[in-house]
Amino acid sequence: MNFKSLITFIFLVIVLGLIQILLLKNLALFGIAFCFIYLVSILSWPTSIPAIPLLLLGFSLGLLIDVFYDTLGIHALAATFLAFLRPHWLKVISPSGGYDDTTNPTISEMGIGWYISYSWPLIFAFCLLFFLTDQWGTGRFLTALNKSFFSSTFTVLLAIIVQLLFFKRRRGI
Amino acid sequence: MLRILQFLYSLRAFLLFVLLEVTAIWLIVENNSPQGAAFFNSSSAIIGSALKKQSDVADFFSLAEANEALITENASLLAALEGFQTIPDSIAIELDSLLTATYEFKGARVVSNSLRFSQNNLTLNKGSKDGIKPGMGVFNHEGVVGRVKTVSVNFSVAISLLNTGMLISSKIKSNGVFGSVNWDGNDSRHAKMLYIGRHVNAQVGDTVITSGFNAVFPEGISIGIISEINSNKDNPNYLDILIALSTDFSKVGYVYLVENTQFDELDSLNIKSEVTNEF
């Protein structure tokens, strides 16, 4: 991973974080579909990134979002879980021949079908943990499940749109 | 020994994961305990001002509505004032401590609000330098909104009524029976009224107001209207009452804060007699 792509990723983290805090914080379609677009920045780090920096990134990003959401710890908990699952899930769905060292798990490199099967389960796991923690003690598991399903679908949809619009196609393909 | 260390080293990612998750859980628990001091929340200066900038833009679009609400509020205040204007006569009323105001009111703007989670909070643009203290009641012209939790110099965070941990002492206006209003986390327009006995003659359409027992809100601030009464399956001694909240939480823009100047005295009396007070 070279210096230029590091700068790009930091830029991505900041922009998506700002969008999350300023625009998407109060958005919930029909009261159940939330959008956690900042997760895209955790999901699009290169496949070769070691587990520990990824965990630290997930935790600190989650904590930052938490501070603005006034839900201290919940985003951090769920985002760390997502960052923990990511390498394992990447291994499970690796294409034949494995990944290049420089492969980025994005639509432009891996295709839309692969991207959905990569991001949806991870974001669903995030949402499930998030809403279960949020509703802890109220014993309303079905609501949490319902919210998680629609939120993850909505987030993946928005993630695809963001990538199609703003991510550079690689090597002029 | 070396092999143990090697084994631990091979598990380092998992161990870090566990450590971070434990930290996060500790933060959640710490932040939700009522007495726990919250260090990181939206009342800190940088985050508060970022949220304020955002609401500066967003509030611009609801100015007309805010003005309309103010006009209605002014009109009702003028009507109330009419009753206090006495005909001048020769009797002078002596002011003494019995007539001192128990409640003090302040105004604030909501810079951040949430209503979709089960623990919702509001951030207000007034802080300790404007005389805001933890424990003050928050309401607007429609009804009860919440209660101040933490205060920084310029901002404060209030627990919304839409928070499953919040209980508000309330009563049914028509017959004076009192209970507690608690949000069940379901939707932002309805809440539950608890501890109303089966014998109580409550009607759909009755107004629910604050009881004034809790020393946070003065008596008579609207909470909602009873929309459904069922028998309680878990505990047949109580009714299961659903109330439609009078406050539209998706539009809370400007709020009033109320402080009971005798709260400390009441609170210490309660502690002395070992009574736990709800809010």
Side-chain angles (χ1 to χ4, degrees), chain B residues 142-144 161 168-182 191-194 196 200 202-212 218-229 241-247:
Chain B
E142 292 174 316
V144 169
L161 170 61
I168 289 178
S169 175
S170 53
K171 68 177 181 190
I172 300 172
K173 196 178 178 182
S174 60
N175 53 17
V177 176
F178 62 91
S180 294
V181 168
N182 179 231
K192 284 268 156 79
M193 191 172 186
L194 312 174
I196 299 293
V200 172
Q203 304 279 330
V204 170
D206 278 352
T207 313
V208 178
I209 56 177
T210 53
S211 68
E219 187 184 339
I221 294 181
S222 169
I223 296 177
I225 289 165
I226 296 179
S227 66
E228 229 177 272
I229 300 173
I241 296 182
L242 191 71
I243 60 176
L245 295 169
S246 57
T247 312

Side-chain angles (χ1 to χ4, degrees), chain B residues 230-245:
Chain B
N230 296 313
S231 55
N232 197 330
K233 285 172 204 98
D234 303 330
N235 191 342
N237 288 330
Y238 294 113
L239 289 171
D240 185 30
I241 296 182
L242 191 71
I243 60 176
L245 295 169

